[in-house]
Amino acid sequence: MTLTLPTLLVLDADPPPRLGRLTGRARIVHTDAAGLAERLPEADVLLVWDFTSHAVREAWPGAGPRPRWVHTASAGVDHLMCPELAAGETVVTNARGIFDQPIAEYVAALVLAVAKDLPRTLELQRERTWRHRETRRVAGTRACVVGSGPIGRAIARTLKALDVTTALVGRVPRTGIHGPGDLDRLIARADWVIAAAPLTEQTHGMFDAHRFGVMQPSAVFVNVGRGPLVDEDALAEALRRRWIAGAALDVFAAEPLPEDSPLWGLPGLIVSPHMSGDTVGWRDELGIQFVELYERWAAGRSLVNVVDKKRGYVPGH
């Protein structure tokens, strides 16, 4: 009797995932975005290794059966969700837990770099200019972290280690976490406003002209969540008019950021290419996490990191 192996379809990115542990336990099929729609009906499991692609969202509504389980090698799921996937029985999981501390460290690095004026120090060094300045203390300042999931909580813990008084804002208020109704009050007092929320209908464009207008002139805004959380035109206006002191963006509405984007030249803005969670060995960690999840799935055990497809994130934060 021939054992039929489950078909694992991988939406590839370079470098591909290391799935050697699944040899003989899955029929592994690789595809690019162009071939995804044709391959979907044969798959039991879909691994979205190319988590920058919108191919799943575009291919999913087609004809034929769909995988029973989709895993994305990312924290966010907005790139793959569509009404048909949200309404169906397919289980969706994400890479929750891989990026928490790396992103928290990156945010802390940005806070320290801005407070200590490191970008200007490097510019002056390149110019061979000796110019003494005074910089800001970080200890004793206030931060508001928007997004109370594992990444937001890791950011809060790391900033607290720097003696920054930190408030967390989540979807609903609970012990130790403020609700959306407190957001304007908290950002009005914050020196550092950190966006680390998932992208949902409720959070899309939440940082707009009103929110930047509420912030104090000495405030610095940091986005390590999703680009569309921010009205980028409103942020540009806030920086030009010096409504806020500065900003650092690691995510953008359009990625890669176009060469002609005005964001590149804005005063007081640090641009980084969606790298806050990507530390040495991160792809190996993502691969190991998926293999462990696959082993649970193949053994009939319940999966972890299951996304609430209506909300767009893993609940229970």
Side-chain angles (χ1 to χ4, degrees), residues 154-184:
I155 292 170
R157 287 194 304 271
T158 303
L159 292 180
K160 286 177 182 177
L162 297 174
D163 200 19
V164 177
T165 301
T166 306
L168 266 173
V169 178
R171 187 179 66 88
V172 293
R174 52 203 185 276
T175 303
I177 297 174
H178 298 268
D182 292 331
L183 180 57
D184 284 0

PDB file of all heavy atoms in Angstrom, residues 154-184:
ATOM      1  N   ALA A 154       7.388  43.521  23.947  1.00  0.00           N
ATOM      2  CA  ALA A 154       8.850  43.458  23.987  1.00  0.00           C
ATOM      3  C   ALA A 154       9.460  44.852  23.886  1.00  0.00           C
ATOM      4  O   ALA A 154      10.454  45.162  24.562  1.00  0.00           O
ATOM      5  CB  ALA A 154       9.365  42.566  22.853  1.00  0.00           C
ATOM      6  N   ILE A 155       8.875  45.711  23.057  1.00  0.00           N
ATOM      7  CA  ILE A 155       9.346  47.099  22.968  1.00  0.00           C
ATOM      8  C   ILE A 155       9.199  47.793  24.314  1.00  0.00           C
ATOM      9  O   ILE A 155      10.116  48.483  24.777  1.00  0.00           O
ATOM     10  CB  ILE A 155       8.573  47.854  21.879  1.00  0.00           C
ATOM     11  CG1 ILE A 155       8.922  47.310  20.494  1.00  0.00           C
ATOM     12  CG2 ILE A 155       8.875  49.359  21.932  1.00  0.00           C
ATOM     13  CD1 ILE A 155       8.029  47.825  19.379  1.00  0.00           C
ATOM     14  N   ALA A 156       8.042  47.606  24.945  1.00  0.00           N
ATOM     15  CA  ALA A 156       7.809  48.253  26.241  1.00  0.00           C
ATOM     16  C   ALA A 156       8.816  47.783  27.280  1.00  0.00           C
ATOM     17  O   ALA A 156       9.370  48.596  28.030  1.00  0.00           O
ATOM     18  CB  ALA A 156       6.379  47.963  26.703  1.00  0.00           C
ATOM     19  N   ARG A 157       9.085  46.478  27.328  1.00  0.00           N
ATOM     20  CA  ARG A 157      10.057  45.957  28.298  1.00  0.00           C
ATOM     21  C   ARG A 157      11.444  46.537  28.050  1.00  0.00           C
ATOM     22  O   ARG A 157      12.154  46.914  28.999  1.00  0.00           O
ATOM     23  CB  ARG A 157      10.128  44.427  28.209  1.00  0.00           C
ATOM     24  CG  ARG A 157       8.946  43.692  28.777  1.00  0.00           C
ATOM     25  CD  ARG A 157       9.261  42.204  28.944  1.00  0.00           C
ATOM     26  NE  ARG A 157       9.695  41.575  27.705  1.00  0.00           N
ATOM     27  CZ  ARG A 157       8.877  41.020  26.822  1.00  0.00           C
ATOM     28  NH1 ARG A 157       7.568  41.026  27.042  1.00  0.00           N
ATOM     29  NH2 ARG A 157       9.352  40.453  25.726  1.00  0.00           N
ATOM     30  N   THR A 158      11.834  46.614  26.789  1.00  0.00           N
ATOM     31  CA  THR A 158      13.178  47.094  26.465  1.00  0.00           C
ATOM     32  C   THR A 158      13.329  48.579  26.775  1.00  0.00           C
ATOM     33  O   THR A 158      14.363  49.015  27.311  1.00  0.00           O
ATOM     34  CB  THR A 158      13.486  46.810  24.981  1.00  0.00           C
ATOM     35  OG1 THR A 158      13.336  45.408  24.738  1.00  0.00           O
ATOM     36  CG2 THR A 158      14.898  47.227  24.622  1.00  0.00           C
ATOM     37  N   LEU A 159      12.303  49.370  26.487  1.00  0.00           N
ATOM     38  CA  LEU A 159      12.367  50.797  26.807  1.00  0.00           C
ATOM     39  C   LEU A 159      12.356  51.025  28.316  1.00  0.00           C
ATOM     40  O   LEU A 159      13.028  51.941  28.818  1.00  0.00           O
ATOM     41  CB  LEU A 159      11.205  51.531  26.144  1.00  0.00           C
ATOM     42  CG  LEU A 159      11.245  51.613  24.617  1.00  0.00           C
ATOM     43  CD1 LEU A 159      10.031  52.366  24.091  1.00  0.00           C
ATOM     44  CD2 LEU A 159      12.531  52.278  24.135  1.00  0.00           C
ATOM     45  N   LYS A 160      11.612  50.207  29.034  1.00  0.00           N
ATOM     46  CA  LYS A 160      11.600  50.339  30.501  1.00  0.00           C
ATOM     47  C   LYS A 160      12.990  50.083  31.076  1.00  0.00           C
ATOM     48  O   LYS A 160      13.366  50.666  32.094  1.00  0.00           O
ATOM     49  CB  LYS A 160      10.573  49.391  31.104  1.00  0.00           C
ATOM     50  CG  LYS A 160       9.134  49.846  30.894  1.00  0.00           C
ATOM     51  CD  LYS A 160       8.130  48.836  31.433  1.00  0.00           C
ATOM     52  CE  LYS A 160       6.696  49.286  31.170  1.00  0.00           C
ATOM     53  NZ  LYS A 160       5.696  48.288  31.615  1.00  0.00           N
ATOM     54  N   ALA A 161      13.755  49.188  30.430  1.00  0.00           N
ATOM     55  CA  ALA A 161      15.122  48.932  30.892  1.00  0.00           C
ATOM     56  C   ALA A 161      16.006  50.166  30.743  1.00  0.00           C
ATOM     57  O   ALA A 161      17.037  50.288  31.412  1.00  0.00           O
ATOM     58  CB  ALA A 161      15.721  47.764  30.125  1.00  0.00           C
ATOM     59  N   LEU A 162      15.601  51.080  29.834  1.00  0.00           N
ATOM     60  CA  LEU A 162      16.311  52.356  29.669  1.00  0.00           C
ATOM     61  C   LEU A 162      15.733  53.434  30.562  1.00  0.00           C
ATOM     62  O   LEU A 162      16.063  54.608  30.424  1.00  0.00           O
ATOM     63  CB  LEU A 162      16.242  52.802  28.205  1.00  0.00           C
ATOM     64  CG  LEU A 162      16.917  51.898  27.184  1.00  0.00           C
ATOM     65  CD1 LEU A 162      16.630  52.383  25.761  1.00  0.00           C
ATOM     66  CD2 LEU A 162      18.424  51.828  27.427  1.00  0.00           C
ATOM     67  N   ASP A 163      14.830  53.038  31.482  1.00  0.00           N
ATOM     68  CA  ASP A 163      14.180  53.949  32.404  1.00  0.00           C
ATOM     69  C   ASP A 163      13.244  54.915  31.688  1.00  0.00           C
ATOM     70  O   ASP A 163      13.095  56.073  32.078  1.00  0.00           O
ATOM     71  CB  ASP A 163      15.210  54.722  33.241  1.00  0.00           C
ATOM     72  CG  ASP A 163      14.599  55.300  34.517  1.00  0.00           C
ATOM     73  OD1 ASP A 163      13.529  54.824  34.943  1.00  0.00           O
ATOM     74  OD2 ASP A 163      15.191  56.256  35.068  1.00  0.00           O
ATOM     75  N   VAL A 164      12.614  54.412  30.613  1.00  0.00           N
ATOM     76  CA  VAL A 164      11.597  55.179  29.912  1.00  0.00           C
ATOM     77  C   VAL A 164      10.232  54.749  30.448  1.00  0.00           C
ATOM     78  O   VAL A 164       9.920  53.554  30.449  1.00  0.00           O
ATOM     79  CB  VAL A 164      11.663  54.934  28.389  1.00  0.00           C
ATOM     80  CG1 VAL A 164      10.545  55.677  27.670  1.00  0.00           C
ATOM     81  CG2 VAL A 164      13.021  55.355  27.844  1.00  0.00           C
ATOM     82  N   THR A 165       9.442  55.689  30.904  1.00  0.00           N
ATOM     83  CA  THR A 165       8.079  55.384  31.355  1.00  0.00           C
ATOM     84  C   THR A 165       7.233  55.073  30.129  1.00  0.00           C
ATOM     85  O   THR A 165       7.092  55.901  29.232  1.00  0.00           O
ATOM     86  CB  THR A 165       7.487  56.576  32.118  1.00  0.00           C
ATOM     87  OG1 THR A 165       8.323  56.865  33.244  1.00  0.00           O
ATOM     88  CG2 THR A 165       6.070  56.270  32.592  1.00  0.00           C
ATOM     89  N   THR A 166       6.683  53.856  30.075  1.00  0.00           N
ATOM     90  CA  THR A 166       6.058  53.373  28.848  1.00  0.00           C
ATOM     91  C   THR A 166       4.607  52.981  29.068  1.00  0.00           C
ATOM     92  O   THR A 166       4.288  52.270  30.023  1.00  0.00           O
ATOM     93  CB  THR A 166       6.833  52.158  28.300  1.00  0.00           C
ATOM     94  OG1 THR A 166       8.208  52.520  28.152  1.00  0.00           O
ATOM     95  CG2 THR A 166       6.286  51.732  26.955  1.00  0.00           C
ATOM     96  N   ALA A 167       3.738  53.453  28.185  1.00  0.00           N
ATOM     97  CA  ALA A 167       2.329  53.076  28.190  1.00  0.00           C
ATOM     98  C   ALA A 167       2.039  52.258  26.948  1.00  0.00           C
ATOM     99  O   ALA A 167       2.477  52.606  25.845  1.00  0.00           O
ATOM    100  CB  ALA A 167       1.439  54.315  28.226  1.00  0.00           C
ATOM    101  N   LEU A 168       1.291  51.166  27.111  1.00  0.00           N
ATOM    102  CA  LEU A 168       0.895  50.304  26.005  1.00  0.00           C
ATOM    103  C   LEU A 168      -0.558  50.563  25.650  1.00  0.00           C
ATOM    104  O   LEU A 168      -1.412  50.674  26.536  1.00  0.00           O
ATOM    105  CB  LEU A 168       1.052  48.832  26.394  1.00  0.00           C
ATOM    106  CG  LEU A 168       2.340  48.106  26.033  1.00  0.00           C
ATOM    107  CD1 LEU A 168       2.341  46.722  26.677  1.00  0.00           C
ATOM    108  CD2 LEU A 168       2.497  47.968  24.531  1.00  0.00           C
ATOM    109  N   VAL A 169      -0.862  50.625  24.356  1.00  0.00           N
ATOM    110  CA  VAL A 169      -2.237  50.812  23.890  1.00  0.00           C
ATOM    111  C   VAL A 169      -2.613  49.619  23.018  1.00  0.00           C
ATOM    112  O   VAL A 169      -1.891  49.274  22.082  1.00  0.00           O
ATOM    113  CB  VAL A 169      -2.395  52.113  23.086  1.00  0.00           C
ATOM    114  CG1 VAL A 169      -3.820  52.255  22.566  1.00  0.00           C
ATOM    115  CG2 VAL A 169      -2.022  53.316  23.937  1.00  0.00           C
ATOM    116  N   GLY A 170      -3.746  48.990  23.347  1.00  0.00           N
ATOM    117  CA  GLY A 170      -4.219  47.844  22.588  1.00  0.00           C
ATOM    118  C   GLY A 170      -5.622  48.047  22.056  1.00  0.00           C
ATOM    119  O   GLY A 170      -6.218  49.127  22.202  1.00  0.00           O
ATOM    120  N   ARG A 171      -6.160  47.001  21.462  1.00  0.00           N
ATOM    121  CA  ARG A 171      -7.491  47.084  20.864  1.00  0.00           C
ATOM    122  C   ARG A 171      -8.569  47.283  21.917  1.00  0.00           C
ATOM    123  O   ARG A 171      -9.547  48.000  21.692  1.00  0.00           O
ATOM    124  CB  ARG A 171      -7.777  45.809  20.059  1.00  0.00           C
ATOM    125  CG  ARG A 171      -9.073  45.836  19.245  1.00  0.00           C
ATOM    126  CD  ARG A 171      -9.243  44.546  18.484  1.00  0.00           C
ATOM    127  NE  ARG A 171      -9.442  43.423  19.387  1.00  0.00           N
ATOM    128  CZ  ARG A 171     -10.637  43.026  19.842  1.00  0.00           C
ATOM    129  NH1 ARG A 171     -11.730  43.664  19.460  1.00  0.00           N
ATOM    130  NH2 ARG A 171     -10.741  42.006  20.658  1.00  0.00           N
ATOM    131  N   VAL A 172      -8.387  46.620  23.081  1.00  0.00           N
ATOM    132  CA  VAL A 172      -9.342  46.765  24.181  1.00  0.00           C
ATOM    133  C   VAL A 172      -8.550  47.024  25.461  1.00  0.00           C
ATOM    134  O   VAL A 172      -7.459  46.476  25.636  1.00  0.00           O
ATOM    135  CB  VAL A 172     -10.225  45.510  24.339  1.00  0.00           C
ATOM    136  CG1 VAL A 172     -11.146  45.343  23.143  1.00  0.00           C
ATOM    137  CG2 VAL A 172      -9.390  44.256  24.535  1.00  0.00           C
ATOM    138  N   PRO A 173      -9.082  47.847  26.368  1.00  0.00           N
ATOM    139  CA  PRO A 173      -8.369  48.102  27.622  1.00  0.00           C
ATOM    140  C   PRO A 173      -8.431  46.895  28.544  1.00  0.00           C
ATOM    141  O   PRO A 173      -9.433  46.185  28.597  1.00  0.00           O
ATOM    142  CB  PRO A 173      -9.130  49.297  28.219  1.00  0.00           C
ATOM    143  CG  PRO A 173     -10.496  49.211  27.626  1.00  0.00           C
ATOM    144  CD  PRO A 173     -10.333  48.619  26.262  1.00  0.00           C
ATOM    145  N   ARG A 174      -7.341  46.638  29.231  1.00  0.00           N
ATOM    146  CA  ARG A 174      -7.278  45.591  30.243  1.00  0.00           C
ATOM    147  C   ARG A 174      -6.118  45.919  31.160  1.00  0.00           C
ATOM    148  O   ARG A 174      -5.450  46.940  30.978  1.00  0.00           O
ATOM    149  CB  ARG A 174      -7.133  44.216  29.613  1.00  0.00           C
ATOM    150  CG  ARG A 174      -5.993  44.067  28.612  1.00  0.00           C
ATOM    151  CD  ARG A 174      -6.289  42.907  27.674  1.00  0.00           C
ATOM    152  NE  ARG A 174      -5.208  42.607  26.746  1.00  0.00           N
ATOM    153  CZ  ARG A 174      -5.031  43.246  25.598  1.00  0.00           C
ATOM    154  NH1 ARG A 174      -5.826  44.241  25.256  1.00  0.00           N
ATOM    155  NH2 ARG A 174      -4.039  42.896  24.790  1.00  0.00           N
ATOM    156  N   THR A 175      -5.879  45.068  32.130  1.00  0.00           N
ATOM    157  CA  THR A 175      -4.854  45.361  33.137  1.00  0.00           C
ATOM    158  C   THR A 175      -3.503  45.634  32.480  1.00  0.00           C
ATOM    159  O   THR A 175      -2.981  44.794  31.737  1.00  0.00           O
ATOM    160  CB  THR A 175      -4.720  44.174  34.110  1.00  0.00           C
ATOM    161  OG1 THR A 175      -5.987  43.915  34.710  1.00  0.00           O
ATOM    162  CG2 THR A 175      -3.691  44.497  35.185  1.00  0.00           C
ATOM    163  N   GLY A 176      -2.975  46.795  32.716  1.00  0.00           N
ATOM    164  CA  GLY A 176      -1.669  47.166  32.184  1.00  0.00           C
ATOM    165  C   GLY A 176      -1.675  47.655  30.751  1.00  0.00           C
ATOM    166  O   GLY A 176      -0.624  48.015  30.225  1.00  0.00           O
ATOM    167  N   ILE A 177      -2.850  47.675  30.116  1.00  0.00           N
ATOM    168  CA  ILE A 177      -2.936  48.084  28.712  1.00  0.00           C
ATOM    169  C   ILE A 177      -4.092  49.054  28.534  1.00  0.00           C
ATOM    170  O   ILE A 177      -5.213  48.797  28.981  1.00  0.00           O
ATOM    171  CB  ILE A 177      -3.130  46.867  27.784  1.00  0.00           C
ATOM    172  CG1 ILE A 177      -1.907  45.947  27.885  1.00  0.00           C
ATOM    173  CG2 ILE A 177      -3.327  47.304  26.335  1.00  0.00           C
ATOM    174  CD1 ILE A 177      -2.048  44.652  27.125  1.00  0.00           C
ATOM    175  N   HIS A 178      -3.816  50.179  27.902  1.00  0.00           N
ATOM    176  CA  HIS A 178      -4.839  51.189  27.643  1.00  0.00           C
ATOM    177  C   HIS A 178      -5.612  50.838  26.373  1.00  0.00           C
ATOM    178  O   HIS A 178      -5.105  50.160  25.483  1.00  0.00           O
ATOM    179  CB  HIS A 178      -4.194  52.564  27.479  1.00  0.00           C
ATOM    180  CG  HIS A 178      -3.470  53.044  28.690  1.00  0.00           C
ATOM    181  ND1 HIS A 178      -4.061  53.821  29.655  1.00  0.00           N
ATOM    182  CD2 HIS A 178      -2.183  52.855  29.094  1.00  0.00           C
ATOM    183  CE1 HIS A 178      -3.180  54.105  30.606  1.00  0.00           C
ATOM    184  NE2 HIS A 178      -2.036  53.523  30.287  1.00  0.00           N
ATOM    185  N   GLY A 179      -6.833  51.341  26.293  1.00  0.00           N
ATOM    186  CA  GLY A 179      -7.638  51.169  25.100  1.00  0.00           C
ATOM    187  C   GLY A 179      -7.475  52.334  24.150  1.00  0.00           C
ATOM    188  O   GLY A 179      -6.834  53.350  24.463  1.00  0.00           O
ATOM    189  N   PRO A 180      -8.066  52.244  22.954  1.00  0.00           N
ATOM    190  CA  PRO A 180      -7.950  53.304  21.946  1.00  0.00           C
ATOM    191  C   PRO A 180      -8.439  54.662  22.430  1.00  0.00           C
ATOM    192  O   PRO A 180      -7.949  55.698  21.963  1.00  0.00           O
ATOM    193  CB  PRO A 180      -8.820  52.793  20.797  1.00  0.00           C
ATOM    194  CG  PRO A 180      -8.848  51.313  20.968  1.00  0.00           C
ATOM    195  CD  PRO A 180      -8.819  51.078  22.445  1.00  0.00           C
ATOM    196  N   GLY A 181      -9.378  54.667  23.369  1.00  0.00           N
ATOM    197  CA  GLY A 181      -9.891  55.935  23.873  1.00  0.00           C
ATOM    198  C   GLY A 181      -8.859  56.764  24.614  1.00  0.00           C
ATOM    199  O   GLY A 181      -9.035  57.974  24.782  1.00  0.00           O
ATOM    200  N   ASP A 182      -7.776  56.115  25.058  1.00  0.00           N
ATOM    201  CA  ASP A 182      -6.719  56.832  25.786  1.00  0.00           C
ATOM    202  C   ASP A 182      -5.597  57.300  24.870  1.00  0.00           C
ATOM    203  O   ASP A 182      -4.660  57.964  25.325  1.00  0.00           O
ATOM    204  CB  ASP A 182      -6.107  55.924  26.869  1.00  0.00           C
ATOM    205  CG  ASP A 182      -7.074  55.620  27.994  1.00  0.00           C
ATOM    206  OD1 ASP A 182      -7.959  56.460  28.258  1.00  0.00           O
ATOM    207  OD2 ASP A 182      -6.947  54.544  28.605  1.00  0.00           O
ATOM    208  N   LEU A 183      -5.659  56.959  23.588  1.00  0.00           N
ATOM    209  CA  LEU A 183      -4.504  57.172  22.715  1.00  0.00           C
ATOM    210  C   LEU A 183      -4.117  58.639  22.593  1.00  0.00           C
ATOM    211  O   LEU A 183      -2.944  58.997  22.773  1.00  0.00           O
ATOM    212  CB  LEU A 183      -4.777  56.591  21.330  1.00  0.00           C
ATOM    213  CG  LEU A 183      -3.642  56.735  20.304  1.00  0.00           C
ATOM    214  CD1 LEU A 183      -2.355  56.112  20.814  1.00  0.00           C
ATOM    215  CD2 LEU A 183      -4.038  56.108  18.974  1.00  0.00           C
ATOM    216  N   ASP A 184      -5.068  59.513  22.308  1.00  0.00           N
ATOM    217  CA  ASP A 184      -4.724  60.928  22.123  1.00  0.00           C
ATOM    218  C   ASP A 184      -4.104  61.517  23.382  1.00  0.00           C
ATOM    219  O   ASP A 184      -3.131  62.279  23.320  1.00  0.00           O
ATOM    220  CB  ASP A 184      -5.965  61.729  21.726  1.00  0.00           C
ATOM    221  CG  ASP A 184      -6.364  61.509  20.270  1.00  0.00           C
ATOM    222  OD1 ASP A 184      -5.669  60.735  19.582  1.00  0.00           O
ATOM    223  OD2 ASP A 184      -7.357  62.086  19.829  1.00  0.00           O
TER     224      ASP A 184
END
